[in-house]
Each structure stands twice: as C-alpha cells, then as structure tokens.
Amino acid sequence: KNEVEQSPQNLTAQEGEFITINCSYSVGISALHWLQQHPGGGIVSLFMLSSGKKKHGRLIATINIQEKHSSLHITASHPRDSAVYICAVRFNFGNEKLTFGTGTRLTIIP
Amino acid sequence: NAGVTQTPKFRILKIGQSMTLQCTQDMNHNYMYWYRQDPGMGLKLIYYSVGAGITDKGEVPNGYNVSRSTTEDFPLRLELAAPSQTSVYFCASSSRVGQSEAFFGQGTRLTVV
C-alpha cells in the first residue's frame, strides 16, 4: 500500500530552536512536496524535490531516496513559523495523484 | 498574480441541498484537482482533470461531480449534501505530472447541517 507517514504529529518549541520534521514513504516516488498550512488559511508549496537538498531562507528540505525519507528543517525558528507542515508524494505508479501525510502541527513559543 | 482562486470561502448547507464550489486558475495549467481535508486526516483526492474535457475519479468521488469545459475552470458540484461532506475543500493545479509544483487555492469550509 502506498503510504506517507510524518513525525512528530505535534511539535512545540521555543523561538530560536532548530526544528526538524520527518516524512517517510513506502515505495518509490517521482517527487516529494513540502507544504505549509497556516490556521484558517490556504496551503502554500514550500519545496518540491526528487533528490538531494533545497534551501529557501531559513527552510531546508532534504531527501534520501534509498531510505525513502525526507526532512524539513527550520533554522532560528520564529513564532510566524507556527503552522501545519504537510508532506506529499507522487508515487512512481500513482500517475497524477499526490498522497498526503497527516501533517505536523508546529507551534513556536516566543 | 491570482494563482488558484476558490469561491466561496465558507458555506453552510442544509441536508439535501446542492451547491457548486468554484475553482479557477490563471496559470494555464493542464492538471487540476479537488481535495477534501478532514480533521486528523491527510488530504484526499475527490476528482482530478488532466485537461479540458477530461476528468477522472480520485479516492473519494461519491456524492460529487465535476466538469472541465475550459483550461481555467474546474467546478465541483455537490448534489444532495450530506453531513459526511462537512469538510474543507481545496482546489489545486499543476503544469504537468511529476516534477512540477502544486498550487493550492485558499480552501472552502463547508458545513452540512
């Protein structure tokens, strides 16, 4: 079965801490997306990656294809980073469909 | 740069009523999708379209219908609304399968009472 698992489900940290959110998946993929959803808001795409590492500001996303695992890191976390972070993958044999994790709710305390 | 626009943002329906959730994108994307998001669950695909005139069912299509008469628009129709359709609905688009970024609308929060 094609599955996506995220950990942790909930994460609370102090402002300034280094944050890591994990995503693992069951079978081969063509792409992995990291998305951000603010409370009551829409969903914004942060990264799309199929190998290696991408960086945008304080956000870093990495993927290890052999281990079927991706991480999203936030450096120098800030209260405005508080949101739900969602991992979604396009499985190799899932044609046009994305399969989503259940999300990680991140709360950064000032 | 509007991206993906969904309307309405909020709606309350009575059981048995019908409504259409509108979705339009101005990026000339071929692929469009409708998802629903229930508490504690990942987004589930309702319907998708790979181009004008072509639609297909996703994981949870029952109780919904779609059409794609133009590249820009992908409305989602709810017939005979049921409490189980209470959810947040997201429309998304992408330029092609695989290596392209997905763009999401702001969501529609629907309550069926």
Side-chain angles (χ1 to χ4, degrees), chain B residues 16-80:
Chain B
Q17 286 185 320
S18 301
M19 76 165 294
T20 300
L21 280 66
Q22 302 291 345
C23 176
T24 187
Q25 51 92 8
D26 61 359
M27 297 171 283
N28 202 33
H29 285 170
N30 285 327
Y31 295 89
M32 295 188 75
Y33 313 84
W34 274 106
Y35 297 95
R36 60 178 287 172
Q37 185 181 40
D38 300 310
M41 308 285 287
L43 276 77
K44 299 293 184 187
L45 181 65
I46 304 170
Y47 270 95
Y48 66 102
S49 169
V50 302
I54 306 169
T55 62
D56 206 350
K57 296 177 180 179
E59 301 169 81
V60 289
N62 292 343
Y64 307 95
N65 272 301
V66 294
S67 59
R68 185 94 183 270
S69 57
T70 67
T71 300
E72 294 79 18
D73 299 308
F74 190 41
L76 177 72
R77 177 84 178 159
L78 278 73
E79 303 282 2
L80 299 175

Side-chain angles (χ1 to χ4, degrees), chain A:
Chain A
K1 188 179 175 183
N2 296 348
E3 291 182 334
V4 179
E5 291 189 3
Q6 285 185 240
S7 63
Q9 280 192 309
N10 294 282
L11 178 58
T12 300
Q14 292 291 132
E15 182 173 356
E17 285 190 38
F18 180 81
I19 303 299
T20 296
I21 298 170
N22 298 297
C23 176
S24 59
Y25 48 92
S26 52
V27 295
I29 64 170
S30 60
L32 182 144
H33 299 250
W34 280 104
L35 310 166
Q36 181 191 56
Q37 184 176 26
H38 280 282
I43 297 171
V44 175
S45 177
L46 297 175
F47 296 103
M48 193 279 296
L49 63 166
S50 55
S51 64
K53 177 179 173 178
K54 287 190 176 180
K55 185 176 190 290
H56 185 258
R58 294 180 294 106
L59 300 177
I60 303 165
T62 63
I63 188 167
N64 184 318
I65 297 295
Q66 286 74 27
E67 296 191 1
K68 297 184 178 60
H69 180 269
S70 175
S71 292
L72 176 68
H73 304 287
I74 305 175
T75 62
S77 59
H78 189 276
R80 65 175 175 265
D81 297 325
S82 298
V84 175
Y85 292 85
I86 301 169
C87 171
V89 304
R90 203 179 300 278
F91 288 107
N92 282 335
F93 300 105
N95 48 65
E96 299 82 6
K97 305 179 184 71
L98 283 172
T99 300
F100 293 79
T102 54
T104 295
R105 183 175 299 278
L106 174 66
T107 303
I108 303 297
I109 300 171

